[in-house]
Amino acid sequence: MTTESAPRLLDDAALELSSVVANNAMNRGRGLSGVNSYARELGFDPYRRLAQRLRADPDATVTWIDVCCGEGRALLEAEERFAQEFPSADVTLIGIDLVGFFRARPRTDRLRLITASATTWAPDRPADLVTCVHGLHYIGDKLAVLTAMAGWVAPGGRCAADFDPEEIRRADGSVAGPAVLAALRASGMTFDRRTHRLRGEGPRSPRFPAAYLGADDTAGPGYTGQPSVRSYYAW
């Protein structure tokens, strides 16, 4: 049954040129802690989590990958704090953003700020922390990116992201959220409906019986109040 008029579906190349995807009102300038911060959005402080591991094992290697990092402010702040507290530790910080308007250049080789699409980029090693703060709202094939992010996590690591199941649609426009959440939970990931926080501990392999059809950037505001992108799949 058709629940809405057929949307204009864009492929990744067209979607990435959309002004909605380049929205600078979401994650562009969010810091590590405080009112407008990663700690508030994710429900934990990324720096404290990684620092705790280094305190327990000074010889540990820690890696944080932040997808859709915006200006990279949180990573730049983390870079500075690691330099002060753990100057000799093996720390890798990686920020990926499609727009690439970073607030500053990295101060050390611990930090890499990369202009790339989250749909095609991949790390060269697993990470202790993989995050995406309000970035999935602007990605076309959200399920592919979620699957990739969950698989980038090292044993004992964590994947955490803001996620809106309402943005996942079937070909007829109906919401596919329940099927998506069932697949995520079957893989061992958790989702908090109140906060819209998705989390996975350790590497996970969610499987979705769906084929990506394209995305609609004219759907209007999501739960954040900002315009977002609906992603359509054949199930």
Side-chain angles (χ1 to χ4, degrees), residues 13-31:
L15 183 66
E16 290 174 359
L17 296 175
S18 166
S19 60
V20 172
V21 173
N23 180 3
N24 65 2
M26 288 301 296
N27 194 39
R28 310 306 310 170
R30 191 170 275 110

Side-chain angles (χ1 to χ4, degrees), residues 120-146:
T120 57
W121 184 86
D124 55 10
R125 66 180 182 185
D128 303 278
L129 182 61
V130 178
T131 57
C132 187
V133 176
H134 290 303
L136 288 171
H137 308 311
Y138 306 103
I139 288 174
D141 193 351
K142 301 181 198 330
L143 300 186
V145 173
L146 275 176

Side-chain angles (χ1 to χ4, degrees), residues 98-112:
L98 179 67
V99 178
F101 291 156
F102 303 121
R103 175 166 295 206
R105 292 179 179 274
R107 300 176 182 88
T108 68
D109 59 6
R110 285 174 157 181
L111 173 60
R112 294 162 54 198

Side-chain angles (χ1 to χ4, degrees), residues 6-159:
R8 175 191 62 134
L9 297 184
L10 304 179
D11 61 19
D12 285 344
L15 183 66
E16 290 174 359
L17 296 175
S18 166
S19 60
V20 172
V21 173
N23 180 3
N24 65 2
M26 288 301 296
N27 194 39
R28 310 306 310 170
R30 191 170 275 110
L32 263 179
S33 60
V35 176
N36 183 30
S37 69
Y38 275 49
R40 179 168 181 170
E41 293 298 328
L42 296 173
F44 67 93
D45 187 318
Y47 176 81
R48 289 184 181 178
R49 178 177 173 86
L50 297 176
Q52 183 178 24
R53 179 175 179 186
L54 289 174
R55 292 189 188 101
D57 180 6
D59 295 325
T61 297
V62 298
T63 300
W64 174 15
I65 298 172
D66 188 29
V67 179
C68 303
C69 68
E71 293 179 359
R73 178 183 167 189
L75 291 168
L76 288 161
E77 291 178 3
E79 178 191 33
E80 183 174 358
R81 292 178 65 179
F82 277 119
Q84 294 172 354
E85 190 172 358
F86 304 97
S88 301
D90 189 347
V91 176
T92 300
L93 307 170
I94 302 174
I96 310 298
D97 195 78
L98 179 67
V99 178
F101 291 156
F102 303 121
R103 175 166 295 206
R105 292 179 179 274
R107 300 176 182 88
T108 68
D109 59 6
R110 285 174 157 181
L111 173 60
R112 294 162 54 198
L113 296 175
I114 301 169
T115 303
S117 170
T119 61
T120 57
W121 184 86
D124 55 10
R125 66 180 182 185
D128 303 278
L129 182 61
V130 178
T131 57
C132 187
V133 176
H134 290 303
L136 288 171
H137 308 311
Y138 306 103
I139 288 174
D141 193 351
K142 301 181 198 330
L143 300 186
V145 173
L146 275 176
T147 300
M149 289 172 53
W152 295 344
V153 181
R158 172 179 292 177
C159 175

Side-chain angles (χ1 to χ4, degrees), residues 145-224:
V145 173
L146 275 176
T147 300
M149 289 172 53
W152 295 344
V153 181
R158 172 179 292 177
C159 175
D162 298 291
F163 180 58
D164 186 0
E166 295 288 320
E167 294 172 351
I168 309 296
R169 301 292 174 122
R170 299 178 185 273
D172 65 358
S174 61
V175 176
V180 173
L181 294 180
L184 290 169
R185 287 171 177 143
S187 75
M189 302 186 77
T190 63
F191 179 70
D192 187 315
R193 291 183 180 275
R194 183 181 63 83
T195 61
H196 289 87
R197 291 172 185 157
L198 180 66
R199 186 177 294 183
E201 304 294 337
R204 299 293 168 181
S205 301
R207 298 183 182 278
F208 305 100
Y212 180 56
L213 299 175
D216 177 16
D217 67 343
T218 66
Y223 76 86
T224 64

